[in-house]
């Protein structure tokens, strides 16, 4: 040091060339503690710093754990799922004194089983740490946040992971606002990545009206890529009348991040395609989705019971493809749809809260001809039963051909109105001259 200060040495290098060669030839096969026995007079901390200065650091010094170095080498279903989770909830930190990188994934302590599964899949010999801090309530920007215990895994023994993560999935340090979509993934690998991303930065909502909604949060580029995958797996409506009446799913900006959500039959179809893949998942999210899909399947079976096939007017309705709610018309495997815009008749009745299904008028006319031929050719016909005014023992009530109202009910209401109008007329008193 004195020679350096006096200008007798060109740089502040107090290590001999022979010492540097010992480090280059033995690290990382030997740890810094083992190297200290080969370099007398050098402390372990000094050897660690010299390793960083020489740039020969491949693994974290004195790392006592190991993992599969080839786990992220080539994309597959399993590592694409974990890459999606890392892209959402993972963090890559780099040492300030060297090139060592560390992968950290932190989840709520109740989701620690997912990190245990990751350690098993990548053959990591370390353990998942659970923070011992109790749940604490704090405020962030005036909003109360309840911070609970966390499960964390940290891996630094596989430095080649970080090159593979960046190469295939564009996962880099400080990626929260810069994350880019993966590169060249096939359809199945893309769905696996979407599932991992959803487990990290996604949520599922079950609305009061029974509609499933899947939400994703992240950067514009990553969500735009996820949107393209969703559009391919579960495309938007293609009918012009639907596009005019319904808004399509788009990315919405919320501060520095964006969110994207899909609902209804699209969310259902996407969830079903993802569940076909044999992958791990976050139970508190996917168990809820599985239960919802099962309930909907049970309801679909219940409403698909065969019923009497009525004759219907083909100029107004027709049998088309089965609707998303599964309204099978009389066991035909198809749904009854309206001519012109193709909407399901049963769905329309449910949305309009019609309690009794609508039967085509031609069916009632045919029943009138069979049961009451005296009404044929008159402006009256036998329509659906009115509880108050049945017509003889036919099980129907008399109605006008120009509408569906019960004739007796209409006459009764007309008489009531006339009586009310007569009672409100003031009496006229005539006075004699």
């Amino acid at each position: 040091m004195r020679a350096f200060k006096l200008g007798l040495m060109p740089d502040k290098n107090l290590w001999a060339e022979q010492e540097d060669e010992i480090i280059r030839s033995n690290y990382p096969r030997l740890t810094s503690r083992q190297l200290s026995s080969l370099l007398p007079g050098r402390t372990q901390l000094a050897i660690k710093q010299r390793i960083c200065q020489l740039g020969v650091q491949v693994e974290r010094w004195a790392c006592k754990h190991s993992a599969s170095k080839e786990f992220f080498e080539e994309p597959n279903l399993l590592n694409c799922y974990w890459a999606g989770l890392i892209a959402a909830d993972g963090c890559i930190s780099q040492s300030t004194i060297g090139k060592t990188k560390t992968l950290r994934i932190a989840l709520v302590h109740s989701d620690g089983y997912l990190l245990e599964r990751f350690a098993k899949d990548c053959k990591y010999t370390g353990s998942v740490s659970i923070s011992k801090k109790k749940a604490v309530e704090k405020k962030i920007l005036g909003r109360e946040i309840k911070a609970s215990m966390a499960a964390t895994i940290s891996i630094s023994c596989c430095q080649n992971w970080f090159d593979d993560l960046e190469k295939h999935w564009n996962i880099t340090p400080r990626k929260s606002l810069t994350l880019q979509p993966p590169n060249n993934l096939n359809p199945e690998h893309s769905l696996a990545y979407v599932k991992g991303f959803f487990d990290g930065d996604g949520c599922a909502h079950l609305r009061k009206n029974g509609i499933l909604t899947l939400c994703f949060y992240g950067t514009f580029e990553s969500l735009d890529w996820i949107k393209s995958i969703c559009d391919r797996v579960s495309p938007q409506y293609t009918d012009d009348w639907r596009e005019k009446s319904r808004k399509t799913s788009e990315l919405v900006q919320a501060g520095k991040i964006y969110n994207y959500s899909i609902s209804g039959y699209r969310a259902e179809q996407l969830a079903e395609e993802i569940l076909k893949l044999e992958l791990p998942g976050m139970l508190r999210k996917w168990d809820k989705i599985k239960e919802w899909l099962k309930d909907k399947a049970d309801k679909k079976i219940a409403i698909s019971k065969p019923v009497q096939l009525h004759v219907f007017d083909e100029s107004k309705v027709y049998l088309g493809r089965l609707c998303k709610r599964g309204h099978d018309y009389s066991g035909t495997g198809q749904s009854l749809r309206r001519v012109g815009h193709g909407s399901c008749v049963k769905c329309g009745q449910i949305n309009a809260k019609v309690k009794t299904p609508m039967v085509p008028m031609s069916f009632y006319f045919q029943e009138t001809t069979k049961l009451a031929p005296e009404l044929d050719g008159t402006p009256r016909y036998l329509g659906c039963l009115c509880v108050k005014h049945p017509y003889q023992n036919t099980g129907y009530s008399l109605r006008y051909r120009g509408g569906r109202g019960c004739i007796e009910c209409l006459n009764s209401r007309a008489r009531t109105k006339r009586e009310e109008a007569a009672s409100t007329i003031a009496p006229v008193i005539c006075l004699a001259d």
Side-chain angles (χ1 to χ4, degrees):
M1 181 63 70
R2 186 62 180 170
F4 173 74
K5 290 181 179 180
L6 294 174
L8 301 177
M9 296 181 64
D11 54 10
K12 188 180 176 181
N13 183 11
L14 306 180
W15 288 76
E17 186 64 32
Q18 293 83 354
E19 292 176 318
D20 291 344
E21 185 59 32
I22 291 174
I23 294 175
R24 291 192 183 96
S25 58
N26 291 281
Y27 188 82
R29 182 172 56 85
L30 299 180
T31 64
S32 57
R33 178 175 295 181
Q34 294 170 333
L35 287 174
S36 61
S37 62
L38 301 178
L39 299 172
R42 298 294 185 183
T43 64
Q44 187 177 351
L45 178 60
I47 294 174
K48 291 178 181 179
Q49 293 177 345
R50 189 58 180 168
I51 289 173
C52 297
Q53 293 171 0
L54 293 176
V56 296
Q57 186 172 2
V58 179
E59 312 292 342
R60 183 178 179 180
W61 55 72
C63 185
K64 60 182 179 181
H65 300 298
S66 62
S68 174
K69 298 185 184 335
E70 298 80 18
F71 185 70
F72 291 106
E73 188 173 1
E74 290 295 333
N76 55 56
L77 276 178
L78 188 60
N79 62 20
C80 281
Y81 168 79
W82 291 118
L85 183 67
I86 293 171
D89 270 350
C91 171
I92 298 177
S93 59
Q94 187 168 354
S95 173
T96 56
I97 61 174
K99 298 181 180 179
T100 302
K101 293 181 180 179
T102 303
L103 172 63
R104 290 186 178 87
I105 308 176
L107 302 175
V108 180
H109 75 286
S110 58
D111 297 330
Y113 62 89
L114 204 58
L115 299 183
E116 296 284 358
R117 173 67 184 271
F118 175 60
K120 180 181 178 181
D121 290 342
C122 68
K123 300 179 181 179
Y124 178 58
T125 57
S127 59
V128 177
S129 62
I130 305 293
S131 64
K132 298 181 180 180
K133 295 181 180 180
K134 296 182 179 180
V136 179
E137 292 186 2
K138 56 182 179 179
K139 287 188 177 182
I140 299 178
L141 299 177
R143 181 182 178 185
E144 292 185 358
I145 303 295
K146 188 175 182 180
S148 58
M149 297 170 60
T152 308
I153 188 172
S154 299
I155 301 177
S156 59
C157 57
C158 293
Q159 293 297 308
N160 59 313
W161 277 12
F162 305 102
D163 294 335
D164 295 335
L165 288 172
E166 183 176 2
K167 175 182 177 183
H168 300 298
W169 297 280
N170 288 318
I171 299 175
T172 59
R174 297 181 295 276
K175 60 172 176 52
S176 299
L177 302 177
T178 61
L179 181 65
Q180 298 295 317
N183 298 322
N184 303 322
L185 297 184
N186 63 33
E188 284 192 347
H189 295 172
S190 300
L191 272 182
Y193 180 91
V194 170
K195 182 178 182 180
F197 194 95
F198 174 79
D199 285 353
D201 279 342
C203 60
H205 298 291
L206 296 179
R207 307 294 183 185
K208 293 182 179 180
N209 56 3
I211 295 178
L212 173 67
T213 300
L214 303 180
C215 302
F216 301 86
Y217 303 88
T219 62
F220 176 84
E221 292 78 9
S222 59
L223 293 190
D224 188 52
W225 181 84
I226 290 177
K227 179 179 180 298
S228 66
I229 300 300
C230 295
D231 290 342
R232 177 179 55 80
V233 175
S234 180
Q236 296 273 12
Y237 288 116
T238 55
D239 301 331
D240 292 338
W241 70 274
R242 290 188 183 272
E243 291 182 355
K244 293 178 181 178
S245 60
R246 300 188 182 185
K247 294 182 179 179
T248 56
S249 300
E250 298 293 343
L251 275 65
V252 179
Q253 186 173 7
K256 294 183 179 180
I257 63 173
Y258 291 78
N259 66 72
Y260 172 68
S261 61
I262 58 174
S263 302
Y265 83 97
R266 298 191 64 219
E268 178 184 352
Q269 192 171 0
L270 177 65
E272 289 177 346
E273 290 297 323
I274 290 178
L275 288 173
K276 291 179 182 178
L277 305 176
E278 296 182 359
L279 292 170
M282 194 167 288
L283 298 181
R284 60 185 172 89
K285 295 182 180 180
W286 290 104
D287 283 354
K288 180 171 63 174
I289 296 175
K290 289 179 182 178
E291 183 179 358
W292 181 86
L293 291 174
K294 183 179 180 301
D295 291 343
K296 184 170 184 180
D298 294 340
K299 292 179 181 178
K300 183 177 180 180
I301 294 175
I303 65 177
S304 297
K305 295 180 180 179
V307 295
Q308 181 184 1
L309 180 62
H310 301 296
V311 179
F312 53 85
D313 189 352
E314 295 184 355
S315 64
K316 296 181 179 179
V317 292
Y318 68 96
L319 287 176
R321 60 181 177 81
L322 191 66
C323 72
K324 297 298 180 181
R325 293 181 178 177
H327 294 139
D328 187 353
Y329 185 80
S330 303
T332 59
Q334 295 176 303
S335 294
L336 192 64
R337 296 181 173 273
R338 298 183 186 278
V339 174
H341 48 75
S343 62
C344 174
V345 175
K346 185 66 175 179
C347 289
Q349 294 171 358
I350 294 175
N351 294 336
K353 299 181 180 180
V354 176
K355 296 182 180 179
T356 57
M358 185 180 300
V359 180
M361 297 291 289
S362 58
F363 169 77
Y364 289 124
F365 296 158
Q366 291 180 3
E367 289 293 296
T368 302
T369 303
K370 292 188 297 183
L371 300 177
E374 68 275 7
L375 297 176
D376 194 15
T378 67
R380 301 182 179 187
Y381 75 98
L382 295 179
C384 61
L385 179 64
C386 172
V387 180
K388 296 181 180 180
H389 307 106
Y391 181 75
Q392 299 178 0
N393 295 323
T394 59
Y396 296 96
S397 296
L398 282 179
R399 300 180 181 273
Y400 286 118
R401 287 181 177 267
R404 294 179 179 268
C406 173
I407 295 176
E408 295 296 332
C409 290
L410 294 175
N411 293 336
S412 176
R413 284 196 291 268
R415 285 194 299 269
T416 303
K417 288 183 179 180
R418 286 195 300 268
E419 292 174 358
E420 290 177 354
S423 63
T424 57
I425 298 175
V428 178
I429 300 177
C430 296
L431 297 178
D433 294 338

